[in-house]
């Protein structure tokens, strides 16, 4: 019997690990399109990008681990097709590989900027370890960059570029960075943070063109005609789930591969986890696709059990973190689209030491601790309990979080 994992990121490597922990001792093949051992991406826009950590640190396991666990690791090997009826896969080398169970952990790919000039040299994206190294070399060689998109990756890259002494312009279509996640009041904290670090943050602007000379980017033209000169342009406008393989095989795809709470696709022998999975979440009674590290770390425990025919449900709350300059934060929970402006703040926004709670009616649905630590568990308990809270107690740092409910 052969189990195959397609995709070589955190979700893939962790699923292999849990399968072995759970006693699966059959053949296990991990086909990974990239030429590197499976690795974690958060350092690629933080310490690794800033040259503060070694490459070895990004790998989920070293090469010896795959050998000792008898994982047949095929690096630089893409799964090109799924023959569901024949229970077999096409691999990029031409091999046909049979499978009894298949996990799709193909992740996501950066969205491309659809404007003239986007193919010029010096226009960079950040997803892979190679991208991160290219960007690090670029930051060491240029004096200015323009970053298109003030999302998490754009802002982390802005912080890394400032640390490298590079002049930074950030160009964002919305009125605030991270507006759709954080709402305007908390998003303003990130505007202030970056402006204090001399980032030229331009909000509510549209990029119409990347300008160039001799095939190389020279800056960005905005829709209002303004030109932002830059030696390199970094695009961080989000990522799209890598669903091509699943869609071609006739699996249900809708903003990701649609899976149930046990991470099973519409085919009983195929499963999905990580950025690519749009999973039914029992707490929200809805499908949720989470593009964050903790999801890729924790879904494999469920995916592996489901592959082994056990009953398992993924119901962890979405969680992510960021580090920018001296701001560290963790965010947990989920707000409804368009419902992120009802916020209670405990602490001080100006000194950037606070917890923000997003409320839906009188219930906490999300919380973000900024430079305040060891509070994730009580925040998650507040969200999970669904109990109404007293807003003034919630805002009072002297009231323990469990005592804020009514
Ligand atoms: C620069 C960066 C910084 C980040 N920082 C944070 C952070 O601070 N906090 C946080 O919570 N999250 C962060 N994230 C998000 C987090 O890294 C992702 O959620 C996580 O990498 C998802 O893991 P995954 O295994 O699902 O997919 P991926 O890591 O995308 O891995 C998928 C792998 O599958 C391979 N693949 C695709 N198709 C095929 C195929 N057909 N056959 C074989 N292989 C295939 C791909 O090449 C890729 O190697 C960051 C992401 C990036 C890019």
């Amino acid at each position: 019997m052969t189990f195959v994992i397609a995709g070589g990121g955190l979700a893939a490597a962790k699923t292999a690990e849990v399968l072995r922990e759970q006693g699966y001792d059959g053949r296990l093949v991990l086909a990974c399109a990239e030429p590197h051992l499976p690795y974690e991406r958060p350092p690629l826009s933080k310490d690794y990008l800033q040259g503060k950590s070694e490459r070895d640190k990004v790998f989920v396991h070293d090469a010896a681990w795959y050998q000792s666990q008898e994982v047949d690791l095929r690096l630089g090997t893409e799964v090109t097709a799924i023959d569901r009826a024949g229970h077999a896969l096409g691999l990029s080398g031409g091999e046909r590989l049979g499978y009894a169970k298949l996990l799709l952990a193909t992740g996501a790919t950066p969205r491309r900027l659809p404007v003239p000039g986007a193919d010029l040299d010096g226009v960079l994206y950040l997803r892979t370890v190679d991208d991160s190294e290219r960007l690090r070399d670029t930051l060491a060689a240029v004096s200015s960059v323009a970053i298109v998109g003030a999302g998490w990756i754009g802002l982390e890259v802005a912080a890394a570029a400032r640390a490298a002494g590079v002049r930074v312009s950030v160009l964002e279509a919305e009125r605030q960075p991270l507006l759709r996640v954080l709402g305007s009041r908390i998003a303003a904290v990130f505007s202030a943070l970056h402006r204090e670090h001399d980032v030229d943050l331009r909000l509510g602007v549209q990029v119409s063109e990347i300008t160039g000379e001799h095939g190389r980017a020279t800056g960005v033209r905005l829709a209002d005609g303004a030109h932002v000169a830059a030696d390199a342009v970094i695009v961080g406008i989000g990522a799209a789930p890598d669903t091509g393989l699943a869609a071609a095989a006739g699996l249900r795809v809708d903003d990701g591969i649609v899976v149930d709470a046990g991470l099973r696709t519409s085919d009983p022998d195929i499963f999905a986890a990580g950025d690519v999975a749009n999973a039914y979440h029992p707490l929200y009674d809805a499908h949720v696709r989470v593009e964050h590290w903790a999801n890729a770390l924790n879904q494999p425990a469920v995916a592996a059990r489901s592959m082994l025919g056990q009953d398992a449900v993924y119901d962890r709350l979405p969680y992510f973190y960021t580090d920018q300059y001296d701001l560290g934060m963790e965010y947990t929970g989920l707000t409804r689209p368009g419902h992120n402006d009802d916020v209670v703040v405990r602490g001080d926004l100006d000194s950037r030491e606070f917890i923000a709670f997003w409320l839906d009616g009188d219930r906490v649905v999300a919380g973000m601790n900024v430079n305040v630590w060891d509070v994730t568990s009580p925040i998650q308990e507040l969200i999970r309990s669904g109990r109404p809270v007293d807003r003034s107690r919630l805002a009072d740092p002297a009231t323990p979080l469990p005592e804020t409910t009514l």
Side-chain angles (χ1 to χ4, degrees), residues 25-218:
D25 59 4
R27 184 173 180 222
L28 180 54
V29 180
L30 200 167
C32 173
E34 290 187 58
H36 311 292
L37 293 172
Y39 58 89
E40 305 199 22
R41 297 180 197 271
L44 307 185
S45 51
K46 305 180 188 65
D47 41 334
Y48 188 64
L49 178 60
Q50 295 189 30
K52 292 183 186 162
S53 64
E54 299 299 313
R55 198 189 230 220
D56 284 359
K57 290 263 164 52
V58 305
F59 297 125
V60 185
H61 299 296
D62 60 17
W65 183 88
Y66 295 92
Q67 271 170 7
S68 70
Q69 296 297 308
E70 296 186 23
V71 177
D72 181 357
L73 181 62
R74 310 279 188 94
L75 298 181
T77 303
E78 193 180 335
V79 174
T80 52
I82 308 171
D83 168 7
R84 287 168 56 192
H87 268 72
L89 305 172
L91 301 185
S92 48
E95 184 184 340
R96 187 175 157 88
L97 175 67
Y99 70 87
K101 305 280 176 191
L102 168 67
L103 176 84
L104 298 173
T106 48
T109 306
R111 288 184 205 283
R112 301 275 140 178
L113 191 64
V115 300
D119 294 331
L120 289 165
D121 285 347
V123 179
L124 304 173
Y125 291 81
L126 177 54
R127 182 77 194 176
T128 66
V129 69
D130 299 316
D131 293 339
S132 179
E133 288 168 6
R134 202 172 302 126
L135 181 54
R136 188 168 62 195
D137 292 346
T138 301
L139 293 180
V142 300
S143 53
S144 63
V145 293
I147 299 173
V148 182
W152 299 112
I153 288 181
L155 295 183
E156 288 178 4
V157 170
R162 292 302 299 132
V166 172
R167 280 200 315 280
V168 177
S169 304
V170 174
L171 313 168
E172 165 59 47
E174 298 278 3
R175 290 176 286 117
Q176 289 286 359
L178 306 165
L179 187 65
R180 266 175 283 176
V181 191
L182 302 180
S184 55
R185 188 172 168 208
I186 304 301
V189 173
F190 286 85
S191 300
L193 173 72
H194 284 269
R195 285 188 168 136
E196 274 172 35
H197 286 83
D198 295 324
V199 169
D200 173 18
L201 178 61
R202 304 201 190 187
L203 301 170
V205 298
Q206 289 287 341
V207 171
S208 59
E209 180 191 359
I210 297 181
T211 57
E213 251 176 50
H214 310 301
R216 218 193 138 72
T218 54

Side-chain angles (χ1 to χ4, degrees), residues 125-397:
Y125 291 81
L126 177 54
R127 182 77 194 176
T128 66
V129 69
D130 299 316
D131 293 339
S132 179
E133 288 168 6
R134 202 172 302 126
L135 181 54
R136 188 168 62 195
D137 292 346
T138 301
L139 293 180
V142 300
S143 53
S144 63
V145 293
I147 299 173
V148 182
W152 299 112
I153 288 181
L155 295 183
E156 288 178 4
V157 170
R162 292 302 299 132
V166 172
R167 280 200 315 280
V168 177
S169 304
V170 174
L171 313 168
E172 165 59 47
E174 298 278 3
R175 290 176 286 117
Q176 289 286 359
L178 306 165
L179 187 65
R180 266 175 283 176
V181 191
L182 302 180
S184 55
R185 188 172 168 208
I186 304 301
V189 173
F190 286 85
S191 300
L193 173 72
H194 284 269
R195 285 188 168 136
E196 274 172 35
H197 286 83
D198 295 324
V199 169
D200 173 18
L201 178 61
R202 304 201 190 187
L203 301 170
V205 298
Q206 289 287 341
V207 171
S208 59
E209 180 191 359
I210 297 181
T211 57
E213 251 176 50
H214 310 301
R216 218 193 138 72
T218 54
V220 174
R221 176 87 54 208
L222 302 179
D224 65 6
H227 185 248
V228 180
D231 300 326
V233 177
I234 301 140
V235 181
I237 55 170
D242 259 331
T243 53
L245 194 57
L251 296 172
R252 208 177 137 212
V253 166
D254 179 9
D255 181 33
I257 302 171
V258 178
V259 288
D260 68 11
L263 309 180
R264 303 175 197 89
T265 67
S266 45
D267 179 317
D269 294 325
I270 306 181
F271 306 78
D275 279 11
V276 78
N278 189 2
Y280 177 78
H281 196 297
L283 188 71
Y284 300 110
D285 189 19
H287 281 80
V288 177
R289 191 172 71 81
V290 178
E291 274 183 11
H292 294 302
W293 170 87
N295 187 65
L297 179 76
N298 294 313
Q299 279 192 338
V302 171
R305 285 181 175 84
S306 291
M307 289 171 84
L308 293 167
Q310 302 169 14
D311 271 335
V313 164
Y314 188 78
D315 63 357
R316 281 180 180 251
L317 293 173
Y319 164 94
F320 65 93
Y321 62 93
T322 187
D323 296 311
Q324 297 168 30
Y325 313 105
D326 56 356
L327 180 152
M329 79 82 172
E330 298 171 287
Y331 178 106
T332 193
L334 195 64
T335 55
R336 273 190 293 145
H339 288 76
N340 55 13
D341 274 325
D342 188 0
V343 182
V344 170
V345 174
R346 158 183 290 231
D348 182 20
L349 288 185
D350 291 337
S351 65
R352 294 195 276 265
E353 211 173 295
F354 63 89
I355 309 176
F357 298 95
W358 282 263
L359 276 77
D360 201 334
D362 51 9
R363 290 169 172 77
V364 174
V365 293
M368 177 173 103
N369 46 302
V370 173
N371 292 340
V372 172
W373 303 108
D374 300 325
V375 290
T376 304
S377 294
I379 292 174
Q380 294 199 343
E381 275 156 31
L382 275 183
I383 298 169
R384 273 192 185 286
S385 77
R387 291 179 61 187
V389 287
D390 178 301
R391 286 171 183 254
S392 56
R393 273 189 264 160
L394 196 60
D396 174 16

